[in-house]
Coordinates of all heavy atoms in Angstrom, one line a residue:
M16 N 41.6 -84.7 101.7 CA 41.0 -85.9 100.9 C 39.7 -85.4 100.4 O 38.8 -84.8 101.2 CB 40.8 -86.9 102.0 CG 40.5 -88.3 101.5 SD 40.7 -89.6 102.8 CE 40.7 -91.0 101.9
P17 N 39.3 -85.7 99.3 CA 38.1 -85.1 98.6 C 36.8 -85.9 99.3 O 36.9 -87.1 99.7 CB 38.2 -85.5 97.3 CG 39.1 -86.5 97.0 CD 40.1 -86.5 98.3
E18 N 35.8 -85.1 99.6 CA 34.5 -85.7 100.0 C 33.8 -86.5 99.0 O 33.7 -86.0 97.9 CB 33.6 -84.5 100.5 CG 32.6 -85.1 101.4 CD 31.7 -83.9 102.0 OE1 32.3 -83.0 102.5 OE2 30.5 -84.0 101.9
T19 N 33.3 -87.8 99.3 CA 32.6 -88.5 98.4 C 31.2 -88.4 98.6 O 30.7 -88.1 99.6 CB 33.1 -90.1 98.5 OG1 32.9 -90.5 99.9 CG2 34.5 -90.2 98.3
A20 N 30.4 -88.7 97.6 CA 29.0 -88.6 97.7 C 28.4 -89.9 98.5 O 29.1 -90.9 98.4 CB 28.3 -88.6 96.2
P21 N 27.3 -89.7 99.2 CA 26.9 -90.8 99.9 C 26.4 -92.0 99.0 O 26.0 -91.8 97.8 CB 25.7 -90.3 100.6 CG 25.3 -89.1 99.9 CD 26.6 -88.6 99.3
I22 N 26.3 -93.2 99.5 CA 25.8 -94.4 98.7 C 24.3 -94.3 98.8 O 23.8 -94.2 100.0 CB 26.4 -95.7 99.3 CG1 27.8 -95.7 99.1 CG2 25.6 -96.8 98.6 CD1 28.6 -96.9 99.8
R23 N 23.6 -94.3 97.7 CA 22.2 -94.1 97.7 C 21.5 -95.4 97.6 O 21.9 -96.3 96.9 CB 21.8 -93.3 96.4 CG 22.4 -91.8 96.3 CD 22.3 -91.3 95.0 NE 22.9 -92.2 94.1 CZ 23.2 -92.0 92.8 NH1 23.1 -90.7 92.4 NH2 23.8 -92.9 92.1
V24 N 20.6 -95.6 98.6 CA 20.0 -96.8 98.9 C 18.4 -96.7 98.8 O 17.9 -95.8 99.4 CB 20.3 -97.5 100.3 CG1 19.7 -98.7 100.5 CG2 21.7 -97.5 100.5
A25 N 17.8 -97.6 97.9 CA 16.4 -97.7 98.0 C 15.9 -99.1 98.7 O 16.6 -100.0 98.6 CB 15.8 -97.8 96.5
I26 N 14.8 -98.9 99.5 CA 14.4 -100.0 100.3 C 13.0 -100.4 99.8 O 12.2 -99.7 99.6 CB 14.4 -99.6 101.6 CG1 15.7 -99.3 102.2 CG2 13.6 -100.8 102.6 CD1 15.7 -98.5 103.5
V27 N 12.9 -101.7 99.6 CA 11.6 -102.4 99.1 C 11.2 -103.4 100.2 O 11.9 -104.4 100.3 CB 11.7 -103.1 97.7 CG1 10.2 -103.4 97.4 CG2 12.1 -102.1 96.7
E28 N 10.2 -103.1 101.0 CA 9.8 -104.1 102.1 C 8.4 -103.8 102.4 O 7.9 -102.7 102.6 CB 10.7 -103.7 103.3 CG 10.3 -104.3 104.6 CD 10.2 -105.9 104.7 OE1 11.2 -106.6 104.4 OE2 9.1 -106.5 104.9
D29 N 7.5 -104.9 102.5 CA 6.1 -104.7 102.6 C 5.7 -104.5 104.1 O 4.7 -104.0 104.4 CB 5.3 -105.9 102.0 CG 5.7 -107.2 102.7 OD1 7.0 -107.4 102.9 OD2 4.8 -108.1 103.0
E30 N 6.5 -104.9 105.1 CA 6.2 -104.7 106.5 C 6.7 -103.4 107.0 O 7.9 -103.0 107.0 CB 6.9 -105.9 107.3 CG 6.3 -107.2 107.0 CD 6.7 -108.2 108.1 OE1 6.9 -107.9 109.3 OE2 6.9 -109.4 107.7
R31 N 5.7 -102.5 107.4 CA 6.0 -101.1 107.7 C 7.1 -101.0 108.8 O 8.1 -100.0 108.5 CB 4.7 -100.4 108.1 CG 4.9 -98.9 108.2 CD 3.6 -98.2 108.8 NE 3.9 -97.8 110.1 CZ 3.3 -98.0 111.2 NH1 2.1 -98.6 111.1 NH2 3.7 -97.7 112.3
D32 N 7.0 -101.6 109.8 CA 8.0 -101.3 110.9 C 9.4 -101.7 110.4 O 10.4 -101.1 110.7 CB 7.7 -102.2 112.1 CG 6.4 -101.9 112.8 OD1 6.0 -100.7 112.5 OD2 6.0 -102.6 113.6
I33 N 9.6 -102.8 109.6 CA 10.9 -103.2 109.1 C 11.3 -102.0 108.1 O 12.5 -101.5 108.2 CB 10.9 -104.5 108.5 CG1 10.7 -105.7 109.5 CG2 12.2 -104.8 107.7 CD1 10.3 -107.0 109.0
R34 N 10.4 -101.7 107.2 CA 10.8 -100.6 106.2 C 11.2 -99.4 106.9 O 12.2 -98.8 106.5 CB 9.6 -100.5 105.3 CG 9.7 -99.5 104.1 CD 8.7 -99.3 103.2 NE 7.4 -98.9 103.9 CZ 6.4 -99.6 104.1 NH1 6.3 -100.9 103.8 NH2 5.3 -99.0 104.7
E35 N 10.5 -99.0 107.8 CA 10.9 -97.7 108.5 C 12.2 -97.8 109.3 O 12.9 -96.8 109.4 CB 9.7 -97.3 109.5 CG 8.6 -96.7 108.7 CD 7.3 -96.4 109.6 OE1 7.3 -96.5 110.9 OE2 6.3 -96.0 109.0
S36 N 12.3 -99.0 110.0 CA 13.6 -99.2 110.7 C 14.9 -99.2 109.8 O 15.8 -98.6 110.0 CB 13.6 -100.5 111.5 OG 12.5 -100.5 112.5
L37 N 14.7 -99.8 108.6 CA 15.8 -99.8 107.6 C 16.1 -98.4 107.1 O 17.3 -98.0 106.9 CB 15.5 -100.8 106.5 CG 15.5 -102.2 106.9 CD1 15.0 -103.1 105.7 CD2 17.0 -102.7 107.2
T38 N 15.0 -97.7 106.9 CA 15.3 -96.4 106.3 C 15.9 -95.5 107.4 O 16.9 -94.6 107.1 CB 13.8 -95.7 106.0 OG1 13.2 -96.4 105.1 CG2 14.0 -94.2 105.6
F39 N 15.4 -95.6 108.7 CA 16.1 -94.9 109.6 C 17.6 -95.3 109.9 O 18.5 -94.4 110.0 CB 15.5 -95.2 111.0 CG 16.0 -94.5 112.3 CD1 15.7 -93.1 112.5 CD2 16.7 -95.1 113.2 CE1 16.2 -92.5 113.6 CE2 17.3 -94.6 114.3 CZ 17.0 -93.1 114.5
L40 N 17.8 -96.5 109.8 CA 19.3 -97.1 109.8 C 20.1 -96.5 108.7 O 21.2 -96.0 108.9 CB 19.2 -98.6 109.8 CG 20.7 -99.3 109.9 CD1 21.4 -99.0 111.3 CD2 20.4 -100.8 109.7
V41 N 19.6 -96.7 107.6 CA 20.4 -96.1 106.4 C 20.7 -94.7 106.5 O 21.8 -94.2 106.4 CB 19.7 -96.5 105.0 CG1 20.3 -95.7 103.8 CG2 19.7 -97.9 104.8
N42 N 19.6 -93.8 106.8 CA 19.8 -92.4 106.8 C 20.7 -91.9 108.0 O 21.2 -91.0 108.0 CB 18.4 -91.7 106.9 CG 17.8 -91.6 105.6 OD1 18.5 -91.6 104.5 ND2 16.4 -91.6 105.6
G43 N 20.8 -92.9 109.0 CA 21.6 -92.6 110.2 C 23.1 -93.1 110.2 O 23.8 -92.8 111.0
T44 N 23.3 -93.7 109.0 CA 24.7 -94.2 108.8 C 25.5 -93.2 107.9 O 25.0 -92.9 106.8 CB 24.6 -95.6 108.2 OG1 23.8 -96.4 109.0 CG2 26.1 -96.1 108.1
S45 N 26.6 -92.8 108.4 CA 27.3 -91.8 107.5 C 27.7 -92.4 106.2 O 28.0 -93.6 106.1 CB 28.6 -91.4 108.3 OG 29.4 -92.4 108.5
D46 N 27.8 -91.6 105.2 CA 28.1 -91.9 103.8 C 27.0 -92.8 103.2 O 27.2 -93.4 102.2 CB 29.4 -92.6 103.8 CG 30.5 -91.8 104.2 OD1 30.5 -90.5 104.0 OD2 31.5 -92.4 104.8
Y47 N 25.8 -92.8 103.8 CA 24.6 -93.5 103.2 C 23.4 -92.6 103.2 O 23.2 -91.8 104.1 CB 24.3 -94.9 103.8 CG 25.3 -95.8 103.7 CD1 26.4 -96.0 104.4 CD2 25.1 -97.0 102.7 CE1 27.3 -96.9 104.2 CE2 26.0 -97.9 102.6 CZ 27.1 -97.9 103.3 OH 28.1 -98.9 103.1
S48 N 22.6 -92.8 102.1 CA 21.3 -92.0 102.1 C 20.2 -92.8 101.4 O 20.4 -93.5 100.5 CB 21.6 -90.7 101.3 OG 20.4 -90.0 100.9
C49 N 19.0 -92.7 102.1 CA 17.9 -93.5 101.6 C 17.1 -92.6 100.5 O 16.7 -91.5 100.7 CB 17.0 -93.9 102.6 SG 15.6 -95.0 102.1
T50 N 17.1 -93.1 99.2 CA 16.4 -92.4 98.2 C 15.0 -92.7 98.1 O 14.3 -92.0 97.5 CB 17.0 -92.7 96.8 OG1 16.9 -94.2 96.5 CG2 18.6 -92.4 96.7
G51 N 14.5 -93.6 98.8 CA 13.0 -94.0 98.8 C 12.9 -95.3 99.5 O 13.7 -96.2 99.4
S52 N 11.6 -95.4 100.0 CA 11.3 -96.8 100.7 C 9.9 -97.0 100.1 O 9.0 -96.2 100.2 CB 11.3 -96.6 102.2 OG 10.4 -95.8 102.8
Y53 N 9.8 -98.3 99.8 CA 8.6 -98.7 99.1 C 7.9 -99.9 99.6 O 8.7 -100.9 100.1 CB 8.9 -99.0 97.5 CG 9.5 -97.8 97.0 CD1 10.9 -97.8 97.0 CD2 8.9 -96.7 96.4 CE1 11.6 -96.7 96.3 CE2 9.6 -95.6 95.8 CZ 10.9 -95.7 95.8 OH 11.5 -94.5 95.2
R54 N 6.7 -100.0 99.7 CA 6.0 -101.2 100.3 C 5.7 -102.3 99.3 O 5.3 -103.4 99.8 CB 4.8 -100.8 101.0 CG 3.8 -100.1 100.0 CD 2.4 -99.7 100.7 NE 1.7 -98.9 99.8 CZ 0.7 -98.2 100.1 NH1 0.3 -98.1 101.2 NH2 0.0 -97.7 99.1
S55 N 6.0 -102.2 98.0 CA 5.8 -103.2 97.0 C 6.8 -102.9 95.9 O 7.2 -101.9 95.7 CB 4.3 -103.2 96.5 OG 4.1 -102.1 95.6
M56 N 7.0 -104.0 95.1 CA 8.0 -103.9 94.0 C 7.3 -103.1 92.8 O 7.9 -102.3 92.3 CB 8.4 -105.2 93.5 CG 9.5 -105.2 92.5 SD 10.9 -104.2 92.9 CE 11.7 -105.3 94.1
E57 N 5.9 -103.1 92.7 CA 5.3 -102.4 91.8 C 5.4 -100.8 92.0 O 5.6 -100.1 91.2 CB 3.7 -102.8 91.8 CG 3.5 -104.2 91.2 CD 3.6 -105.3 92.2 OE1 4.0 -105.1 93.4 OE2 3.5 -106.4 91.8
E58 N 5.3 -100.5 93.4 CA 5.5 -99.1 93.8 C 6.9 -98.6 93.5 O 7.2 -97.5 93.1 CB 5.2 -99.1 95.3 CG 5.1 -97.6 95.8 CD 4.7 -97.6 97.3 OE1 3.5 -97.9 97.6 OE2 5.6 -97.4 98.1
A59 N 7.9 -99.5 93.8 CA 9.3 -99.2 93.7 C 9.7 -99.1 92.2 O 10.3 -98.1 91.8 CB 10.2 -100.4 94.2
L60 N 9.1 -99.9 91.3 CA 9.4 -99.7 89.8 C 8.9 -98.3 89.3 O 9.4 -97.9 88.4 CB 8.6 -100.9 89.1 CG 9.2 -102.3 89.2 CD1 8.3 -103.2 88.6 CD2 10.6 -102.4 88.6
V61 N 7.8 -97.8 89.9 CA 7.4 -96.4 89.5 C 8.3 -95.3 90.1 O 8.8 -94.4 89.5 CB 6.0 -96.1 89.9 CG1 5.6 -94.8 89.7 CG2 5.1 -97.1 89.1
G62 N 8.7 -95.6 91.4 CA 9.3 -94.5 92.1 C 10.9 -94.4 92.0 O 11.5 -93.4 92.0
I63 N 11.5 -95.6 91.9 CA 13.0 -95.8 91.8 C 13.5 -94.9 90.7 O 14.5 -94.2 90.9 CB 13.4 -97.1 91.8 CG1 13.3 -97.7 93.3 CG2 14.8 -97.3 91.3 CD1 13.7 -99.1 93.4
P64 N 12.9 -94.9 89.4 CA 13.5 -94.1 88.3 C 13.6 -92.6 88.6 O 14.3 -91.9 88.0 CB 12.6 -94.4 87.1 CG 12.0 -95.8 87.5 CD 11.8 -95.7 89.0
R65 N 12.8 -92.1 89.6 CA 12.8 -90.7 89.9 C 14.1 -90.3 90.5 O 14.5 -89.1 90.4 CB 11.6 -90.3 90.7 CG 10.3 -90.5 90.1 CD 9.2 -90.1 90.9 NE 7.9 -90.4 90.2 CZ 6.8 -91.0 90.8 NH1 7.0 -91.2 92.1 NH2 5.8 -91.3 90.2
Q66 N 14.7 -91.1 91.3 CA 16.0 -90.8 92.1 C 16.7 -92.3 92.1 O 16.5 -92.9 93.1 CB 15.8 -90.2 93.4 CG 17.0 -89.7 93.9 CD 16.7 -89.0 95.2 OE1 15.7 -89.0 95.7 NE2 17.8 -88.4 95.7
L67 N 17.4 -92.5 91.0 CA 18.1 -93.8 90.9 C 19.0 -94.1 92.1 O 19.9 -93.2 92.4 CB 18.8 -94.1 89.7 CG 17.9 -94.2 88.4 CD1 18.7 -94.2 87.1 CD2 17.1 -95.4 88.5
P68 N 19.0 -95.2 92.8 CA 19.9 -95.6 93.9 C 21.1 -96.2 93.3 O 21.3 -96.7 92.2 CB 19.1 -96.5 94.8 CG 18.2 -97.2 93.7 CD 17.8 -96.2 92.6
D69 N 22.2 -96.3 94.2 CA 23.4 -97.2 93.9 C 23.0 -98.5 94.2 O 23.5 -99.6 93.6 CB 24.6 -96.7 94.6 CG 24.8 -95.4 94.3 OD1 25.1 -95.0 93.1 OD2 25.1 -94.4 95.2
V70 N 22.1 -98.8 95.3 CA 21.9 -100.1 95.8 C 20.4 -100.2 96.0 O 19.6 -99.3 96.5 CB 22.6 -100.3 97.2 CG1 22.2 -101.6 97.9 CG2 24.0 -100.2 97.0
V71 N 19.8 -101.4 95.8 CA 18.3 -101.7 96.1 C 18.3 -102.7 97.1 O 18.9 -103.9 96.9 CB 17.5 -102.0 94.9 CG1 16.1 -102.4 95.4 CG2 17.4 -100.9 93.9
L72 N 17.9 -102.6 98.2 CA 17.7 -103.6 99.3 C 16.3 -104.0 99.3 O 15.3 -103.2 99.6 CB 18.1 -102.9 100.7 CG 17.9 -103.8 102.0 CD1 18.8 -104.9 101.8 CD2 18.3 -103.0 103.2
S73 N 16.0 -105.2 98.9 CA 14.7 -105.7 98.7 C 14.4 -106.9 99.4 O 15.2 -107.8 99.4 CB 14.4 -105.8 97.2 OG 13.0 -106.3 97.0
D74 N 13.1 -107.0 100.0 CA 12.5 -108.3 100.5 C 12.4 -109.2 99.3 O 12.0 -108.8 98.2 CB 11.3 -108.0 101.2 CG 10.7 -109.2 101.9 OD1 11.3 -110.3 101.9 OD2 9.6 -108.9 102.6
I75 N 12.6 -110.4 99.5 CA 12.3 -111.4 98.4 C 10.9 -111.8 98.4 O 10.2 -111.8 97.2 CB 13.2 -112.8 98.5 CG1 14.7 -112.4 98.3 CG2 12.8 -113.7 97.5 CD1 15.7 -113.4 98.6
G76 N 10.3 -112.0 99.5 CA 8.9 -112.5 99.4 C 7.9 -111.5 99.7 O 7.2 -111.4 100.7
L77 N 7.8 -110.6 98.7 CA 6.8 -109.5 98.6 C 5.5 -110.0 98.1 O 5.4 -110.9 97.2 CB 7.4 -108.4 97.7 CG 8.5 -107.6 98.3 CD1 9.2 -106.9 97.2 CD2 8.3 -106.9 99.4
P78 N 4.4 -109.4 98.5 CA 3.0 -109.7 97.9 C 3.1 -109.2 96.4 O 3.8 -108.1 96.2 CB 2.0 -109.0 98.7 CG 2.8 -108.0 99.5 CD 4.2 -108.5 99.5
G79 N 2.4 -109.7 95.5 CA 2.4 -109.3 94.1 C 3.7 -109.8 93.5 O 4.2 -111.0 93.7
M80 N 4.5 -108.9 92.9 CA 5.8 -109.2 92.2 C 6.8 -109.4 93.4 O 7.0 -108.6 94.2 CB 6.1 -108.1 91.3 CG 7.5 -108.4 90.6 SD 8.1 -107.1 89.6 CE 6.7 -106.7 88.5
N81 N 7.5 -110.5 93.3 CA 8.5 -110.8 94.3 C 9.8 -110.0 94.1 O 10.0 -109.3 92.9 CB 8.8 -112.4 94.4 CG 9.6 -112.9 93.1 OD1 10.6 -112.3 92.8 ND2 9.1 -114.1 92.7
G82 N 10.7 -109.8 95.1 CA 11.8 -109.1 94.9 C 12.8 -109.6 93.9 O 13.5 -108.7 93.3
I83 N 13.0 -110.8 93.6 CA 13.9 -111.3 92.6 C 13.5 -110.7 91.2 O 14.2 -110.3 90.3 CB 14.0 -112.9 92.6 CG1 14.6 -113.2 94.0 CG2 14.8 -113.3 91.5 CD1 14.6 -114.8 94.3
E84 N 12.2 -111.0 91.0 CA 11.7 -110.5 89.6 C 11.7 -109.1 89.5 O 12.2 -108.5 88.5 CB 10.3 -111.0 89.4 CG 9.6 -110.6 88.1 CD 10.3 -111.2 86.8 OE1 10.9 -112.3 87.0 OE2 10.1 -110.7 85.6
G85 N 11.5 -108.2 90.6 CA 11.5 -106.9 90.5 C 13.0 -106.4 90.4 O 13.2 -105.4 89.5
I86 N 13.9 -107.0 90.8 CA 15.4 -106.6 90.6 C 15.7 -106.8 89.3 O 16.5 -106.1 88.6 CB 16.3 -107.3 91.8 CG1 15.9 -106.8 93.1 CG2 17.7 -107.2 91.3 CD1 16.3 -105.4 93.6
R87 N 15.3 -108.0 88.8 CA 15.6 -108.2 87.3 C 15.1 -107.2 86.5 O 15.8 -106.7 85.5 CB 15.1 -109.7 87.0 CG 15.6 -110.1 85.6 CD 14.9 -111.3 85.1 NE 13.4 -111.2 85.0 CZ 12.8 -110.4 83.9 NH1 13.5 -109.9 83.0 NH2 11.5 -110.4 83.9
L88 N 13.9 -106.8 86.7 CA 13.3 -105.7 85.8 C 14.1 -104.4 86.0 O 14.3 -103.6 85.0 CB 11.8 -105.6 86.1 CG 10.9 -106.5 85.6 CD1 9.4 -106.3 86.1 CD2 10.9 -106.5 84.1
L89 N 14.3 -104.0 87.2 CA 15.1 -102.8 87.5 C 16.5 -102.8 86.7 O 16.9 -101.8 86.2 CB 15.4 -102.6 88.9 CG 14.1 -102.1 89.7 CD1 14.3 -102.1 91.1 CD2 13.8 -100.6 89.3
K90 N 17.1 -104.0 86.8 CA 18.4 -104.1 86.2 C 18.4 -103.9 84.6 O 19.1 -103.3 84.0 CB 19.1 -105.4 86.5 CG 20.5 -105.5 86.1 CD 21.5 -104.5 86.8 CE 22.9 -104.8 86.4 NZ 23.7 -103.7 86.7
E91 N 17.2 -104.5 84.1 CA 17.0 -104.4 82.6 C 16.8 -102.9 82.2 O 17.3 -102.5 81.2 CB 15.8 -105.3 82.2 CG 16.0 -106.6 82.0 CD 14.7 -107.3 81.6 OE1 13.8 -106.7 81.3 OE2 14.7 -108.6 81.7
R92 N 16.0 -102.2 83.0 CA 15.5 -100.9 82.7 C 16.6 -99.8 82.9 O 16.7 -98.8 82.4 CB 14.3 -100.5 83.6 CG 13.1 -101.3 83.0 CD 11.9 -101.0 83.9 NE 10.8 -101.9 83.6 CZ 9.6 -101.9 84.2 NH1 9.4 -101.0 85.1 NH2 8.6 -102.6 83.8
H93 N 17.5 -100.2 84.0 CA 18.6 -99.2 84.4 C 19.8 -100.0 84.7 O 20.2 -100.2 85.9 CB 18.1 -98.5 85.7 CG 16.7 -98.0 85.7 ND1 16.5 -96.8 85.0 CD2 15.5 -98.4 86.2 CE1 15.1 -96.5 85.0 NE2 14.6 -97.5 85.8
P94 N 20.5 -100.5 83.6 CA 21.7 -101.3 83.6 C 22.8 -100.7 84.5 O 23.6 -101.4 85.0 CB 22.1 -101.6 82.3 CG 21.3 -100.6 81.5 CD 20.1 -100.1 82.2
D95 N 23.0 -99.3 84.6 CA 24.0 -98.7 85.2 C 23.8 -98.6 86.6 O 24.6 -98.5 87.5 CB 24.2 -97.2 84.8 CG 24.7 -97.3 83.3 OD1 25.3 -98.3 82.7 OD2 24.4 -96.3 82.6

């Protein structure tokens, strides 16, 4: 059976403990890899294009730009 590439996940969460726990969980789960963890959507919009994920796990109630608006922008900029 051919080996498949891991599912790449980016995390956007303003609370450090939660962000670090999610990163640890994703990286510790077989077939998943965290491409980046960001404390704001503004930071994510800059960092995510450097290594595009398959999935973005985002808090909705972020300070500054909320997660819903940020996901919409990411989808516009990177439709695939």
Side-chain angles (χ1 to χ4, degrees):
M16 197 170 194
E18 192 172 317
T19 59
I22 296 171
R23 301 166 305 198
V24 180
I26 298 167
V27 187
E28 169 58 60
D29 58 316
E30 293 190 36
R31 190 183 107 230
D32 291 343
I33 295 172
R34 184 175 63 249
E35 289 176 357
S36 295
L37 289 170
T38 301
F39 182 78
L40 178 66
V41 169
N42 283 330
T44 303
S45 63
D46 298 328
Y47 288 83
S48 174
C49 184
T50 60
S52 62
Y53 307 96
R54 60 184 169 191
S55 70
M56 190 52 76
E57 291 83 359
E58 189 179 289
L60 289 169
V61 172
I63 284 177
R65 295 181 186 139
Q66 190 174 9
L67 290 174
D69 300 308
V70 176
V71 176
L72 177 60
S73 178
D74 185 359
I75 293 173
L77 295 165
M80 183 184 303
N81 70 48
I83 295 170
E84 180 64 19
I86 294 294
R87 187 187 64 73
L88 284 173
L89 283 168
K90 188 67 177 165
E91 278 180 13
R92 295 175 186 179
H93 311 284
D95 295 335

